[in-house]
Amino acid sequence: MNGKWNKRTFPFPKAIYNCCYGDKRALLKRFEKTIGPQKCFNALCRFSKWTIYQILADSPWKSYLPESHLYDATKLTAFLDSYKTAFLKPQYGSKGQGIFRVELSPTGIYTLSEQTWDPSFVTSDPSALLSQLEAKIGLKKYLIQEEITMKKVNDRSIDFRVMVQKNGAGQWAITGELVRFANKQSYLSNLFTKSDMLQNVLTILYPTKPRKAAAIQNKIHEVCLGVADKLDQHYGHIAELGIDVTIDRNDQIRLIEVNGRPSKMIFKDLGQPCLDQLYQTTIDFAEYLVQNKIAP
């Protein structure tokens, strides 16, 4: 009021959407003692990439995952011998922070890159590479992950952010999909400088194959809804996920990452109606929880 904060007492809400980046389940359970069971959703929205990988590796969606391992020096050396390239990702991270790309050339040269394709460190000594990495990683837990060769449009790597939300009927639904164009100098598509609608980009990729484009879009939806359902079974009572997928050079759909607290604002460039739908779906699901008795 009048541009100032005012302290007041309000009744408890009838449903709570957890937007805190962390595990607040103990606190939310205290709320539920007052407002009722299962009236707080997205209790956990900070996922371990390794835990997500393990859950999905034991599911029908395993074939869409890049090969991944917990980081250690021996495993990285063996991985590079087999694959020649690898991504190193923090188990807990977002917005592309702390992601490294490592490559072993046919002549035995190791290169380390940070965000851009240009290497920040070059050596022929694997011990020197590992020392450099350990200095950067420190005590953080990391994953070694297979590099996915993404499709490109105008020399920009692309991936797709798919919003999957529970709707007013309590069912998972695709409520938004966005193509992100990486900077030409970067291998990280989540540091994007341009976005577009999925259907537009599929038309660019497959201009003479509309049936193939439609089939790929349908498969992306199937994969994302299946992933959401699998994680919901494991974590319990999540209602919103941002799932990142891409298409590789062999036209195969690949799953990159699952985000538990996805930004809705990245959809603003697609128009206000798209953004409004994302927020409205959250409200619709909250109303569904209020109107329905759900067993604890």
Side-chain angles (χ1 to χ4, degrees), residues 21 45-50 89-99 140-143 161 190 244 257-261:
Y21 193 38
C45 58
R46 186 171 186 249
F47 298 134
S48 159
K49 291 181 176 65
W50 178 239
K89 297 182 176 181
Q91 278 201 51
Y92 295 96
S94 61
K95 300 179 181 178
Q97 296 177 352
I99 296 179
K140 291 182 180 178
K141 294 182 178 181
Y142 263 70
L143 296 187
R161 164 61 61 87
N190 50 2
D244 296 339
E257 192 167 294
V258 179
N259 302 274
R261 196 188 66 170

Side-chain angles (χ1 to χ4, degrees), residues 70-81 86-88 102 129-130 133 144:
L70 286 174
Y71 173 84
D72 69 52
T74 302
K75 181 65 72 174
L76 176 61
T77 302
F79 198 91
L80 289 173
D81 286 340
F87 277 117
L88 302 182
V102 186
L129 171 70
L130 295 173
L133 280 172
I144 304 168

